[in-house]
Amino acid sequence: MEERFLPIGIQDFEKVAELALTQIDANGYSERFVVSGKQMFRVALVFSSDAKGLLGWKIK
């Protein structure tokens, strides 16, 4: 199945940001950095092709 990126409105930002953070956790992207012992943040950036830029971000 082909994935498509659909333009989103600002009202969908929260849902998309949560999906991105879930993907970061599910795929273990941050696990290799945990061993450093430093404080770590997971950041979801949401871009819009309609708005031609960054809609916002969410930090966990």
Side-chain angles (χ1 to χ4, degrees):
M1 183 170 137
E2 182 180 316
E3 290 186 35
R4 294 179 183 261
F5 294 97
L6 301 174
I8 65 165
I10 293 173
Q11 68 276 8
D12 297 323
F13 162 74
E14 193 69 31
K15 183 169 70 171
V16 173
E18 277 301 319
L19 286 171
L21 290 170
T22 300
Q23 181 181 2
I24 291 169
D25 292 337
N27 291 321
Y29 294 139
S30 59
E31 288 178 8
R32 67 181 179 190
F33 300 104
V34 173
V35 296
S36 72
K38 296 179 180 178
Q39 187 176 14
M40 185 176 56
F41 299 95
R42 292 172 198 87
V43 180
L45 301 174
V46 180
F47 294 91
S48 169
S49 57
D50 290 341
K52 305 282 191 232
L54 183 65
L55 283 181
W57 62 88
K58 186 165 187 174
I59 300 173
K60 185 175 180 184

